[in-house]
Amino acid sequence: MLAASCCDRRMCVCPGPRRIAIPVRSSRLPLLSDAMPAPAHLFPLIRSCEISRIGSTACYCHHKHLCCLSSHFAHSHFRYAPQKKFAALYRPKEHFNHFIHTRDYASTPQRFYLTPSQVNSILKANEYSFKVPEFDGKNVSSVLGFDSNQLPANAPIEDRRSAATCLQTRGMLLGVFDGHAGCACAQAVSERLFYYIAVSLLPHETLLEIENAVESGRALLPILQWHKHPNDYFSKEASKLYFNSLRTYWQELIDLNSGETTDVREALINAFKRLDNDISLEAQVGDPNSFLNYLVLRVAFSGATACVAHVDGIDLHIANTGDSRAMLGVQEEDGSWSAVSLSYDHNAQNEREVERVKMEHPKSEEKSLVKQDRLLGLLMPFRAFGDVKFKWSIELQKRVVESGPDQLNDNEYTKFIPPNYYTPPYLTAEPEVIHHRLRPQDKFLVLATDGLWETMHRQDVARIVGEYLTGVHHQQPIAVGGYKVTLGQMHGLLTERRARISSVFEDQNAATHLIRHAVGNNEFGTVDHERLSKMLSLPEELARMYRDDITIIVVQFNSRVIGAYQNEEL
Amino acid sequence: MFLRLLSDIQWRAAHPRWRRMTGSQRSTSTTAEPHPVSLPAQAQVVICGGGIMGTSVAYHLSKMGLKDIVLLEQGRLAAGTTRFCAGIVSTARPVSVELKMAHYSNKLYQQLQQETGVQTGYMKTGSISLAQTQDRLISLKRIASSLNVMGIPCEIISPKEVLKLHPLINIHDLVGAMYVPEDALVSSANVSLALATAASRNGVQIHERTCVSHVTIQKGRVTGVETDRGRIQCDYFVNCAGQWAYELGHSGEEPVHIPLHACEHFYLLTHPLKDPLSSSLPTIVDPDGRIYIRNWQGGILSGGFEKNPKPLFTEGRNQLEIQNLQEDWDHFGPLLGALLRRMPGLEALQIMQLVNCPESFTPDMRCIMGESPTARGYFVLAGMNSGGISYGGGAGKYLAEWIVNGYPSENVWPLDLKRFGTLQSSRTFLRHRVMEVMPLMCDLKVPRWDFQTGRQLRTSPLYDRLDAQGARWMEKHGFERVKYFVPPGSDLLDLDHSKTFYKPDWFDIVGSEVKCCKEAVSVIDMSSFTKFEISSTGDQALESLQYLCSNDLDVPVGHVVHTGMLNEKGGYENDCSIARLSKRSFFMISPTDQQVHCWTWLKNHLPDDSNLVLEDVTWKYTALNLIGPRAVDVLSELSYAPMTAEHFPSLFCKEMSVGYANGIRVMSITHTGEPGFVLYIPIEYALHVYNEVMNMGQKYGIRNAGYYALRSLRIEKFFAFWGQDLDAFTTPMECGREFQVKLDKGLEFLGQEALWEQKQNGVYKRFTMFILEDHDTDLDLWPWWGEPIFRNGRYVGKTTSSAYSYTLERHVCLGFVHHFDEKTGEELVVTTDFINQGEYEIDIAGQRFQAKAKLYPFSSLFTQRRRKDEVELSGYQRE
């Protein structure tokens, strides 16, 4: 499968020992310089790992297997830096210079721009909105609804999103999942995690009821009501397997019955850990069905971060594993917007996280644990689902791979053992949970994968979403009244207002609006159509160099209900 | 409050007869307040509305000697749109009658202060209309031509000259401008008050704070007015309620449909400049920037007509009072941008206020005046499309003449309420249409413009079929008509680009349609034409028609008669074809926009006899016009009946079967002068007959054609069309149609006396055909209509229609030639010799083209190209 997807690509030059540098220069670089006129724009976007990726692509493509691997790297595995032994084959700096050099002389005879409506159709392809239904004309939920959207950079996209309302307990679950090394793990987590959370939250009696229903073949109580975009799919083949694992989990919960009311924080942590455990176990046990067997292995060998919000009344819990982020948009008394982070990134930039990893392993490994801001020099997120290569012992990995299907065996990546791999596990899926009591000034919550946060500061995100959600409806009409205003001043003011409104009115979805800004913002912080058009018309194999997959959920809170909750408590 | 600045209200003290209200708030619920002067129980004329229109009508009626006039105003005089409007008197109007009204208004306002003693703020500043594009300059030149022949000074000037006249203007993007030095500024409210003062001196009773609730109509006549202060009996009611005219029209039991709708209109007032602007500085109109700018108290007043107007009061009057409308700066933004682009020096000028002044607009951008088709004595004057002050004086004069004399002294058909019917009075239609009309105030007006909104209301049953074959549509009286058919594969420019004063992109398409009409056979769907049936139990139908029509209708059954329906002065009220279906029933075909007017004319003139039935059957029949020499063959094959001239002579009508369908009325007329037939098909058979005709016609080279082809054909044949060439001021004698008048038919008919007189004394204008000589169709501006005609260098009249003749390969213009005495300007008799012995030129946007005048069509030229047996057919039109 991987091989097939690789050879579809234009850049694959498998047969023959051709130097990759030539096709790169002749076919791709003109496109590059076309797409991005100003070098200053380009380089902040391409992180060092990505440049090395270009290099790695160039180096490996003369061999069939390596080609597969390299394409894997190029299209799926940006989070992994090339291994040392391969890294020696190329000199990133040289390539870098060469790159710039070629750009300067590349001629661009042909420009293709997307029309605004084409841009819109691309941006809106995956948008989804959900409004919490009203009863008697009143919405009694603390959530008004949510907007979500995602924009792929990888092909296929590796991000996933989920949203569901818990039916047997109160509350709503929303999550974004950023996959790496393929989308299998992110897909599995997006399907399964909310069930694990919901089950963890269920009271003992409900669990018994459900178990009895399954036992006697009766209809099951529905646990979750999903809010899915048509493109968000669930895999049919694995549903039985997944269900069995889940059932085992709730059976254990029934046996463990502590009689205590379920704490949301604990439920979230348990669910995360349990699911990751199940993913790992399923891969070890395997499945007689060869398709499923391959699937569970792919899930386990790929990885995914997760950022999940549970909203129940004014209690907001954020469980985060990895480097996606949750952010609260707060409207200050003067109407301005500020951002409150509700998650910590689990990556090398987080000192506490680096400390944690170092604490968990012997001092002898201190130097090899985090290299080039990556776990073992390879993985950017420090916590993740799947990624058994960072969790299993070497022996287990070898055994599973050898007994696994041929595709797995042929795959260099799965066979490859991370360097300095002495005391696994190095990676955990355990989330950090942050609890926040919603206040009336908390207007919305943004959950987004790192694709957004790389390009935008949270303060800007808060402002853009805030102005979108309120500004559209509440832009005050200007009145001159008794003030001294000149024609020129008024004209400037109106021009500015118009620019703001026009960008707002294009979108009916806050997430879409945010993506528009994330991709199209120019140096002045306003959406530049030309730039947007270029960014969206990048060919598949280039897109990933300029942006990551972006997945955003914007949850809008019901300040009225939240205010009422607060008053009740007072 | 700025209103005080615009209108000085001290004049009231001089007229103690009028109540001076102490409250400063306008209110419509005034029943509780005491009214010192009670309403009269009876009056001859009651005018509702104390704005510029109402006061102007009152002024002119009283001047014409009517004494018993009451003017009612729900609030205060001149407190509505009149008070808010910008007060620009501009004569640069594209429609001739509007131009005349504006010219008269200007002259009236000029002497009003002297006449009444009321300060009107009249200031002759002149106006400059700017052109940013060559096309705009062409349209200005066209207006300049028509102003000049009216004797109104006007010149096209260069951008540099603009700068001399108005130092603040940025002229970098200008290609030229039109300067009208006699245009003026007034305080509109004060003009209105001056007119009211003069009217009241002449005996008009003016009652403010009196609200008309509805008008009572009995037996189709106005009998009185119900107000919140009681009832007034009256013979005439004049609805001058401005934007409320629609609602007032609908308030009674019998609605009077007045299709207008209000839109918000914004203008800006500023504080004075550091060096206050001179009050004599000309007004600037920048149509490409969609703005106008006038000086105002040392500062400026600037407004415009935005592309995205805001219609209001769609649901009728609500709590919102005019004075409380919101300023909307965001909406005004683009216009402010245009203002600063035009006068960059004003950046530092301080804003005083943004005024929101609703204006009412009509579906075709022309105002509404005239008598209701359903209620006699119910007159309307409203829907000024923001030209209220410019039109006020002239419109009031015409309406007063209408009431007193039965018709105004000018042809006001373009403004007549009867050009609309009930179909234009849907609120949704009006709301959508005015949103197109208001921007049109500034849009370039090119020939053959079609409205895009409010379309597809009335359609033929063949609409979808024709549309699928590439039909391009225009609209007339709500009816979709085909302009031409775009052949598959050919790519016409989109609407915006096809706006041109030059050769249009459909030139060759229409050419091939015309060719097909001449050489083979074409089908044109003419279902829009108005169709009436008049029948009676006895001879009443014939007798009435003999009285109403100038031609002799006592013809054998099955004959078709072309005839005018004339007024007492011999002018055309309608021009129609009447088929005698039986001894006692007639089928009348009139132009599309005659539906309301002709109906009213007949209703008013037919005797009140229950045995005489008039029915509008327009909707019952689809009309297919088969034009061309092979129409005979197609039809005879489809009906198994010989259709040649021996069996089916011209001007003949017979019910027959076509295909499977029976009862098709076939008439040997084509409205073009070409041989052919019109098939009047009961609508359920329309598709069948059309399919049959198209199938059978294939071997004769049949194809679809549109109205542009028809138009070209009829104009090269010198056929006049009512509404375009003919009007109530044109007699058959003046347009070479004496043959349609049977002065000696032995019966008296309407207009007979006037025609006798003309026959003896000669006519004062003559319908003439002009063939442009040195006009290059590809490179020169195309004629449209309204171009001045010069004879030996002197202005003698205007064209009324024009078309390219594909047969002559020349442009043909039709128009009227007058004979003005060189010294006195007095109109003299126009003789054939006078026409023939002149050198003619047609002025197209300032450029004069030589033209050859003809009084008769080129019948010889056409017949040469035909087979012999068709010659007889072609001659039928002239008998």
Side-chain angles (χ1 to χ4, degrees):
Chain A
M1 257 183 107
L2 287 170
S5 74
C6 154
C7 287
D8 285 340
R9 308 215 180 281
R10 268 191 284 156
M11 57 186 287
C12 180
V13 285
C14 295
R18 204 193 300 168
R19 293 290 301 173
I20 193 66
I22 297 160
V24 164
R25 185 171 53 199
S26 62
S27 73
R28 296 177 60 200
L29 290 181
L31 274 173
L32 268 182
S33 55
D34 182 34
M36 302 295 303
H41 275 151
L42 174 63
F43 294 109
L45 275 170
I46 301 189
R47 293 171 301 179
S48 59
C49 67
E50 290 167 325
I51 291 161
S52 60
R53 217 183 67 236
I54 301 167
S56 70
T57 311
C59 296
Y60 301 145
C61 278
H62 57 267
H63 188 276
K64 188 167 189 243
H65 296 305
L66 287 175
C67 169
C68 297
L69 175 59
S70 71
S71 96
H72 212 124
F73 268 85
H75 304 301
S76 322
H77 292 188
F78 80 96
R79 280 162 204 276
Y80 296 94
Q83 308 143 37
K84 211 170 190 180
K85 58 178 175 180
F86 292 126
L89 291 175
Y90 79 99
R91 289 172 290 279
K93 218 166 189 177
E94 246 179 58
H95 272 275
F96 200 60
N97 292 338
H98 187 60
F99 191 51
I100 295 167
H101 183 77
T102 328
R103 281 171 41 80
D104 288 343
Y105 291 92
S107 63
T108 57
Q110 197 187 346
R111 284 171 175 273
F112 50 96
Y113 292 140
L114 301 172
T115 64
S117 66
Q118 284 173 311
V119 164
N120 284 344
S121 71
I122 293 174
L123 290 181
K124 294 177 180 194
N126 291 318
E127 72 178 15
Y128 178 82
S129 288
F130 174 77
K131 291 258 170 301
V132 172
E134 297 179 345
F135 299 101
D136 293 340
K138 278 183 185 170
N139 179 358
V140 291
S141 162
S142 58
V143 174
L144 286 172
F146 71 88
D147 290 337
S148 80
N149 197 358
Q150 47 185 196
L151 180 71
N154 292 303
I157 186 169
E158 293 180 348
D159 278 7
R160 292 293 184 271
R161 60 184 155 166
S162 292
T165 305
C166 299
L167 295 176
Q168 301 307 324
T169 54
R170 294 186 307 166
M172 196 169 181
L173 286 164
L174 305 116
V176 294
F177 311 98
D178 184 354
H180 49 262
C183 58
C185 187
Q187 174 63 33
V189 173
S190 74
E191 288 177 40
R192 304 174 72 181
L193 182 60
F194 287 8
Y195 280 115
Y196 280 74
I197 296 170
V199 164
S200 310
L201 287 167
L202 287 179
H204 186 66
E205 306 79 59
T206 318
L207 286 173
L208 273 178
E209 204 177 319
I210 290 173
E211 174 58 22
N212 289 338
V214 175
E215 192 66 37
S216 55
R218 277 186 282 122
L220 227 68
L221 284 175
I223 298 173
L224 291 175
Q225 185 201 351
W226 292 94
H227 311 300
K228 280 197 300 188
H229 186 272
N231 290 359
D232 300 338
Y233 64 94
F234 276 9
S235 79
K236 286 201 175 66
E237 298 82 2
S239 61
K240 186 98 179 73
L241 175 76
Y242 291 167
F243 177 76
N244 287 336
S245 300
L246 182 68
R247 188 180 174 194
T248 314
Y249 176 44
W250 80 54
Q251 283 168 342
E252 281 174 30
L253 285 177
I254 290 169
D255 293 343
L256 280 172
N257 178 19
S258 50
E260 291 166 19
T261 48
T262 328
D263 176 48
V264 179
R265 170 193 298 273
E266 230 162 89
L268 285 166
I269 294 176
N270 290 343
F272 272 61
K273 283 163 80 175
R274 176 67 183 206
L275 174 60
D276 192 48
N277 205 31
D278 282 354
I279 288 172
S280 167
L281 274 176
E282 284 156 8
Q284 289 173 41
V285 173
D287 195 284
N289 175 325
S290 67
F291 177 82
L292 276 185
N293 194 27
Y294 184 42
L295 177 72
V296 295
L297 286 167
R298 270 191 298 145
V299 169
F301 276 92
S302 59
T305 71
C307 185
V308 173
H310 178 263
V311 199
D312 175 10
I314 55 168
D315 288 310
L316 169 66
H317 285 87
I318 303 287
N320 184 45
T321 285
D323 55 4
S324 291
R325 233 180 251 177
M327 183 214 89
L328 197 64
V330 181
Q331 188 165 32
E332 305 294 345
E333 271 173 17
D334 64 355
S336 68
W337 294 94
S338 60
V340 174
S341 280
L342 289 182
S343 67
Y344 301 108
D345 295 353
H346 299 139
N347 59 17
Q349 277 71 50
N350 182 345
E351 282 176 26
R352 274 198 347 202
E353 199 59 11
V354 175
E355 277 312 303
R356 175 187 66 83
V357 172
K358 286 185 177 167
M359 290 282 285
E360 288 171 1
H361 297 278
K363 210 154 173 74
S364 56
E365 291 183 50
E366 196 162 300
K367 284 194 177 139
S368 61
L369 269 175
V370 180
K371 280 182 160 176
Q372 295 165 348
D373 285 350
R374 284 155 188 271
L375 189 63
L376 296 179
L378 290 170
L379 191 62
M380 278 183 57
F382 280 22
R383 300 188 194 195
F385 282 94
D387 280 328
V388 290
K389 300 175 60 54
F390 298 88
K391 289 174 181 164
W392 289 352
S393 65
I394 296 178
E395 296 72 37
L396 182 59
Q397 288 192 38
K398 279 185 176 155
R399 201 186 73 224
V400 170
V401 170
E402 273 160 24
S403 63
D406 292 344
Q407 302 105 307
L408 196 67
N409 229 342
D410 288 349
N411 191 327
E412 288 290 324
Y413 164 72
T414 44
K415 276 207 254 179
F416 156 74
I417 303 290
N420 305 312
Y421 197 76
Y422 307 117
T423 52
Y426 287 89
L427 194 64
T428 174
E430 180 176 337
E432 265 188 296
V433 178
I434 292 180
H435 174 231
H436 176 82
R437 293 175 83 78
L438 289 172
R439 306 156 298 171
Q441 62 265 40
D442 301 333
K443 299 297 181 188
F444 59 89
L445 173 75
V446 178
L447 299 177
T449 56
D450 58 343
L452 175 71
W453 308 113
E454 280 162 16
T455 56
M456 288 185 92
H457 190 267
R458 58 195 168 112
Q459 191 54 47
D460 292 332
V461 171
R463 183 182 55 77
I464 288 167
V465 176
E467 282 175 3
Y468 173 82
L469 292 177
T470 57
V472 185
H473 316 289
H474 301 294
Q475 188 158 26
Q476 289 292 317
I478 303 177
V480 176
Y483 298 106
K484 288 184 177 179
V485 186
T486 69
L487 295 178
Q489 287 167 338
M490 179 59 84
H491 185 231
L493 181 63
L494 293 176
T495 313
E496 191 195 316
R497 277 163 71 96
R498 211 159 45 243
R500 218 184 308 156
I501 290 171
S502 72
S503 77
V504 163
F505 271 123
E506 273 172 293
D507 300 313
Q508 280 85 52
N509 181 304
T512 311
H513 187 61
L514 205 44
I515 291 179
R516 187 185 297 277
H517 276 273
V519 179
N521 260 7
N522 59 17
E523 53 269 47
F524 310 112
T526 55
V527 175
D528 175 354
H529 173 73
E530 200 173 306
R531 187 185 154 88
L532 192 56
S533 161
K534 283 173 183 168
M535 289 294 279
L536 293 178
S537 56
L538 291 173
E540 265 181 18
E541 61 269 24
L542 278 181
R544 185 58 192 86
M545 297 170 61
Y546 295 97
R547 52 186 168 87
D548 191 359
D549 294 335
I550 300 177
T551 300
I552 299 172
I553 298 179
V554 178
V555 187
Q556 211 184 334
F557 295 119
N558 189 341
S559 303
R560 197 180 49 78
V561 171
I562 291 169
Y565 268 109
Q566 266 194 342
N567 291 339
E568 255 173 55
E569 284 182 5
L570 291 172
Chain B
M1 184 117 173
F2 87 100
L3 293 175
R4 293 284 156 89
L5 306 169
L6 273 181
S7 75
D8 187 8
I9 50 168
Q10 62 185 1
W11 60 275
R12 282 165 186 266
H15 304 278
R17 213 179 130 181
W18 294 6
R19 294 162 298 103
R20 182 77 199 269
M21 299 311 294
T22 41
S24 64
Q25 295 235 319
R26 201 184 78 136
S27 157
T28 49
S29 56
T30 54
T31 39
E33 293 173 43
H35 290 281
V37 182
S38 63
L39 288 183
Q42 208 166 359
Q44 192 174 12
V45 184
V46 173
I47 301 165
C48 172
I52 181 75
M53 289 303 151
T55 52
S56 175
V57 171
Y59 171 87
H60 286 99
L61 277 177
S62 64
K63 277 224 149 175
M64 291 177 77
L66 262 65
K67 288 289 172 212
D68 203 5
I69 303 164
V70 175
L71 190 152
L72 306 177
E73 161 61 42
Q74 61 168 345
R76 283 183 176 186
L77 281 180
T81 298
T82 300
R83 173 165 281 191
F84 285 96
C85 86
I88 300 168
V89 185
S90 152
T91 43
R93 305 283 166 177
V95 180
S96 162
V97 62
E98 290 181 340
L99 196 157
K100 283 176 185 159
M101 292 197 308
H103 185 48
Y104 173 81
S105 304
N106 197 352
K107 286 193 293 190
L108 174 70
Y109 302 158
Q110 192 172 3
Q111 52 85 37
L112 205 55
Q113 187 167 338
Q114 200 180 4
E115 181 187 333
T116 62
V118 177
Q119 298 245 331
T120 57
Y122 184 91
M123 186 66 168
K124 193 173 281 183
T125 59
S127 76
I128 306 172
S129 302
L130 308 177
Q132 291 184 26
T133 64
Q134 287 298 338
D135 270 353
R136 175 70 67 184
L137 194 60
I138 290 168
S139 77
L140 292 180
K141 282 175 177 171
R142 290 185 61 96
I143 293 173
S145 287
S146 53
L147 283 172
N148 277 327
V149 298
M150 286 266 310
I152 302 168
C154 169
E155 55 181 325
I156 298 293
I157 57 176
S158 70
K160 277 191 181 158
E161 289 168 295
V162 173
L163 202 58
K164 275 186 212 152
L165 290 164
H166 200 304
L168 286 172
I169 293 187
N170 165 21
I171 57 163
H172 296 300
D173 52 353
L174 298 183
V175 296
M178 177 178 71
Y179 179 46
V180 186
E182 291 194 351
D183 278 356
L185 293 179
V186 293
S187 155
S188 48
N190 287 0
V191 165
S192 191
L193 298 176
L195 290 169
T197 306
S200 114
R201 278 185 201 150
N202 285 335
V204 175
Q205 296 185 48
I206 297 175
H207 296 268
E208 293 181 295
R209 295 178 180 274
T210 307
C211 206
V212 174
S213 66
H214 65 271
V215 178
T216 52
I217 297 162
Q218 276 171 12
K219 290 182 185 161
R221 269 214 76 96
V222 167
T223 55
V225 176
E226 292 288 349
T227 74
D228 54 357
R229 294 176 55 209
R231 178 183 161 80
I232 308 176
Q233 289 205 327
C234 64
D235 302 327
Y236 297 101
F237 174 76
V238 187
N239 181 344
C240 294
Q243 59 198 328
W244 313 120
Y246 176 95
E247 250 185 305
L248 180 57
H250 278 251
S251 61
E253 279 174 22
E254 281 182 62
V256 173
H257 300 287
I258 303 160
L260 55 82
H261 194 293
C263 279
E264 293 180 43
H265 172 62
F266 296 91
Y267 63 81
L268 170 82
L269 295 174
T270 71
H271 288 279
L273 269 72
K274 216 170 247 169
D275 306 317
L277 283 184
S278 150
S279 63
S280 62
L281 215 54
T283 301
I284 302 296
V285 182
D286 181 3
D288 297 303
R290 308 188 153 273
I291 49 166
Y292 57 83
I293 310 157
R294 60 161 276 195
N295 72 72
W296 184 74
Q297 305 206 341
I300 61 149
L301 179 161
S302 171
F305 299 96
E306 60 275 21
K307 275 187 177 165
N308 52 336
K310 292 166 75 178
L312 82 166
F313 303 134
T314 306
E315 303 85 0
R317 187 197 310 245
N318 50 24
Q319 267 61 50
L320 209 59
E321 294 271 348
I322 288 184
Q323 281 89 342
N324 300 336
L325 286 175
Q326 293 296 315
E327 55 189 320
D328 185 344
W329 278 101
D330 290 304
H331 194 70
F332 191 73
L335 299 178
L336 178 58
L339 168 64
L340 289 178
R341 209 158 39 249
R342 186 53 55 218
M343 296 189 181
L346 298 186
E347 284 234 349
L349 191 56
Q350 221 180 82
I351 294 165
M352 179 178 276
Q353 192 175 1
L354 185 67
V355 182
N356 184 347
C357 155
E359 294 272 2
S360 44
F361 293 86
T362 61
D364 59 0
M365 212 175 51
R366 302 196 297 261
C367 73
I368 297 172
M369 71 160 65
E371 193 173 10
S372 155
T374 50
R376 300 209 74 178
Y378 192 120
F379 284 83
V380 179
L381 184 57
M384 290 297 140
N385 299 292
S386 80
I389 281 300
S390 299
Y391 299 144
K397 171 172 164 250
Y398 288 153
L399 196 82
E401 289 171 349
W402 206 327
I403 293 172
V404 175
N405 303 335
Y407 202 78
S409 55
E410 278 289 334
N411 168 39
V412 293
W413 169 246
L415 316 178
D416 195 329
L417 172 63
K418 291 197 270 298
R419 73 187 186 274
F420 298 119
T422 51
L423 67 96
Q424 282 94 353
S425 81
S426 142
R427 258 345 233 175
T428 316
F429 166 79
L430 288 171
R431 185 181 169 90
H432 290 184
R433 177 56 69 82
V434 296
M435 286 176 76
E436 183 180 3
V437 164
M438 183 169 157
L440 213 56
M441 302 297 299
C442 288
D443 286 338
L444 199 60
K445 288 161 201 75
V446 296
R448 299 166 293 271
W449 166 261
D450 297 309
F451 286 103
Q452 302 301 307
T453 52
R455 293 288 296 269
Q456 292 175 319
L457 179 56
R458 301 168 78 203
T459 56
S460 142
L462 304 174
Y463 180 85
D464 285 346
R465 282 297 308 274
L466 302 178
D467 198 51
Q469 295 176 74
R472 293 287 185 276
W473 300 91
M474 60 192 261
E475 169 249 6
K476 185 99 176 179
H477 201 59
F479 209 106
E480 294 292 326
R481 309 202 299 190
V482 182
K483 293 191 283 189
Y484 47 83
F485 286 85
V486 180
S490 79
D491 202 14
L492 282 203
L493 293 169
D494 55 26
L495 191 74
D496 273 355
H497 294 111
S498 63
K499 282 186 174 184
T500 178
F501 289 98
Y502 293 90
K503 181 176 157 182
D505 53 355
W506 43 258
F507 180 80
D508 293 329
I509 293 175
V510 173
S512 65
E513 287 178 9
V514 166
K515 193 161 182 268
C516 189
C517 291
K518 296 240 170 220
E519 293 173 1
V521 54
S522 293
V523 181
I524 304 184
D525 183 346
M526 310 239 293
S527 309
S528 69
F529 276 35
T530 302
K531 302 175 268 289
F532 292 157
E533 267 178 16
I534 303 151
S535 52
S536 59
T537 51
D539 283 339
Q540 300 95 324
L542 177 65
E543 279 165 17
S544 318
L545 285 176
Q546 283 287 46
Y547 174 67
L548 287 173
C549 301
S550 61
N551 212 335
D552 189 358
L553 284 162
D554 197 4
V555 289
V557 170
H559 278 243
V560 182
V561 176
H562 290 302
T563 180
M565 288 166 61
L566 311 178
N567 54 32
E568 284 188 343
K569 290 173 183 163
Y572 277 100
E573 288 296 332
N574 186 16
D575 182 33
C576 53
S577 306
I578 301 178
R580 190 163 193 182
L581 298 176
S582 71
K583 278 271 174 207
R584 285 157 188 170
S585 71
F586 295 85
F587 185 60
M588 177 191 286
I589 300 133
S590 314
T592 309
D593 48 5
Q594 274 279 2
Q595 197 168 18
V596 179
H597 180 255
C598 178
W599 178 266
T600 313
W601 183 259
L602 287 170
K603 273 282 167 197
N604 289 346
H605 287 87
L606 288 177
D608 195 9
D609 182 348
S610 58
N611 291 322
L612 181 67
V613 180
L614 173 66
E615 192 190 356
D616 185 343
V617 294
T618 304
W619 60 276
K620 280 187 179 172
Y621 293 95
T622 296
L624 286 184
N625 195 350
L626 267 66
I627 307 175
R630 310 314 295 266
V632 180
D633 305 303
V634 175
L635 215 52
S636 56
E637 281 209 46
L638 278 172
S639 59
Y640 288 93
M643 300 297 289
T644 53
E646 302 90 73
H647 300 94
F648 207 117
S650 66
L651 288 173
F652 201 66
C653 168
K654 198 157 88 180
E655 282 208 359
M656 51 194 286
S657 62
V658 177
Y660 301 153
N662 206 353
I664 312 292
R665 274 177 201 165
V666 178
M667 293 189 202
S668 44
I669 56 172
T670 61
H671 302 281
T672 60
E674 301 296 322
F677 304 89
V678 181
L679 278 52
Y680 288 91
I681 311 158
I683 50 166
E684 68 264 39
Y685 298 143
L687 201 57
H688 171 76
V689 172
Y690 176 77
N691 289 339
E692 290 294 308
V693 165
M694 291 311 274
N695 288 337
M696 188 57 73
Q698 242 171 13
K699 60 181 167 187
Y700 300 106
I702 201 166
R703 58 168 293 167
N704 291 302
Y707 270 82
Y708 283 4
L710 184 94
R711 187 183 155 79
S712 166
L713 287 168
R714 70 102 178 161
I715 287 174
E716 72 181 15
K717 275 292 175 54
F718 201 13
F719 278 23
F721 250 43
W722 194 90
Q724 182 82 52
D725 309 304
L726 306 181
D727 57 45
F729 287 79
T730 310
T731 71
M733 304 300 183
E734 291 160 347
C735 60
R737 285 191 172 179
E738 228 178 303
F739 63 91
Q740 286 183 6
V741 180
K742 297 290 187 301
L743 285 171
D744 48 358
K745 69 180 171 183
L747 293 162
E748 190 198 341
F749 65 89
L750 214 55
Q752 193 173 22
E753 229 165 274
L755 294 187
W756 263 120
E757 208 178 287
Q758 278 199 327
K759 195 176 167 74
Q760 277 155 6
N761 301 343
V763 293
Y764 289 89
K765 63 179 178 182
R766 191 74 163 85
F767 195 49
T768 314
M769 173 172 174
F770 296 94
I771 292 91
L772 295 190
E773 294 286 318
D774 55 349
H775 185 271
D776 187 325
T777 304
D778 292 317
L779 300 177
D780 286 327
L781 286 169
W782 274 34
W784 184 5
W785 54 269
E787 290 91 8
I789 303 166
F790 292 88
R791 180 184 176 278
N792 299 341
R794 288 173 50 85
Y795 169 73
V796 289
K798 279 184 179 178
T799 63
T800 50
S801 57
S802 73
Y804 181 80
S805 161
Y806 292 87
T807 320
L808 299 167
E809 295 175 337
R810 281 267 175 279
H811 262 288
V812 175
C813 301
L814 308 182
F816 286 93
V817 172
H818 301 251
H819 186 180
F820 302 106
D821 187 272
E822 294 201 17
K823 292 186 188 106
T824 62
E826 189 191 352
E827 284 203 51
L828 303 175
V829 169
V830 180
T831 61
T832 313
D833 285 347
F834 178 80
I835 300 286
N836 291 339
Q837 293 165 357
E839 297 287 322
Y840 290 90
E841 284 173 312
I842 308 283
D843 177 319
I844 306 174
Q847 197 182 352
R848 292 191 187 181
F849 294 92
Q850 284 172 21
K852 196 185 277 174
K854 304 274 299 176
L855 282 171
Y856 300 98
F858 290 84
S859 50
S860 58
L861 189 136
F862 292 98
T863 45
Q864 274 165 9
R865 300 189 177 187
R866 297 234 188 100
R867 293 204 313 257
K868 189 177 162 290
D869 57 331
E870 285 153 5
V871 177
E872 291 152 33
L873 272 175
S874 73
Y876 72 85
Q877 198 72 47
R878 298 187 44 227
E879 296 193 355

